[in-house]
Amino acid sequence: MRFLAKTLILPAILVPAPARAQDAEPFTGPSVVAIGGVDHASGGGFKDTGVLYGGAVTYDLGAGKLRYGVEGEVTGSTRKGCESNVAVTGDRSCFHTGRDLYIGGRLGAVVSDNVMLYGKAGYTNLRSGGSYDDPATTASPDFKGSDNHGGYRVGAGVEYNAGNFLVRTEYRFSDYDGLAGGRHQGTVGLGFRF
């Protein structure tokens, strides 16, 4: 009888232990996040605002109040615009923002059971395109092309943990080689932590 009691009680004690350990360390493990927000950039005579959309994958570790991890992200933007009379009267110069790839690190502090504050920094790579049309020439447009621009991104955010689901709000600034000005983004992310 004593053997039977030990056989039934021991598994009951061991089975809940992983769940308790996971609950004791929120904001750890892998997550996937859908991202949306506002995308604003200026420089080189252009100022424009668009809608940012995309997704991110993160993996966070840590213990106590400290969290650290890596993050990868792919986004696109509706940001585009045109300017007239740039070099000569009647000309038109247009641009658009393409995909943006990001990889970097996160460092956070858990401030309550459900809230973490974090900072981030890393490498970002933007694909942008543009065209130029001079009405005095027969070709239309005179120039059209795209290019990749590497740079850095820094940001800060707040993450709210609701069980396996999460919500993030974030501000970030990106600066790219070969492009004047900077890029400011405010985002909201909805995700799932495994």
Side-chain angles (χ1 to χ4, degrees):
M1 185 71 171
R2 186 175 293 170
F3 174 75
L4 182 59
K6 286 182 179 178
T7 305
L8 295 175
I9 292 172
L10 187 59
I13 293 169
L14 294 179
V15 170
R20 282 196 306 268
Q22 185 179 16
D23 291 344
E25 299 296 343
F27 306 103
T28 59
S31 63
V32 293
V33 182
I35 301 168
V38 178
D39 184 18
H40 176 79
S42 63
F46 292 104
K47 290 183 181 178
D48 195 56
T49 301
V51 175
L52 177 79
Y53 55 89
V57 176
T58 61
Y59 193 92
D60 295 304
L61 300 168
K65 301 291 186 186
L66 179 67
R67 297 292 179 270
Y68 50 91
V70 294
E71 178 179 38
E73 182 181 294
V74 179
T75 57
S77 176
T78 63
R79 200 174 68 81
K80 59 185 176 180
C82 293
E83 295 284 332
S84 297
N85 305 318
V86 176
V88 296
T89 302
D91 69 353
R92 187 169 175 85
S93 179
C94 297
F95 71 94
H96 68 274
T97 301
R99 63 99 183 110
D100 196 346
L101 306 175
Y102 168 79
I103 187 158
R106 295 181 1 131
L107 182 63
V110 178
V111 295
S112 76
D113 291 342
N114 300 91
V115 178
M116 177 178 70
L117 304 177
Y118 65 89
K120 64 188 287 180
Y123 172 79
T124 184
N125 185 280
L126 169 70
R127 175 169 291 160
S128 65
S131 63
Y132 176 78
D133 188 25
D134 183 345
T137 62
T138 56
S140 183
D142 296 303
F143 165 80
K144 185 175 183 180
S146 63
D147 201 3
N148 293 330
H149 306 276
Y152 69 88
R153 176 177 297 163
V154 293
V158 178
E159 184 171 315
Y160 177 78
N161 182 27
N164 289 79
F165 296 94
L166 62 91
V167 179
R168 289 180 189 159
T169 59
E170 187 174 290
Y171 164 78
R172 63 260 197 102
F173 171 79
S174 300
D175 186 74
Y176 304 93
D177 296 335
L179 292 179
R183 191 175 187 188
H184 303 269
Q185 298 171 332
T187 66
V188 174
L190 303 175
F192 184 83
R193 191 176 295 279
F194 297 92

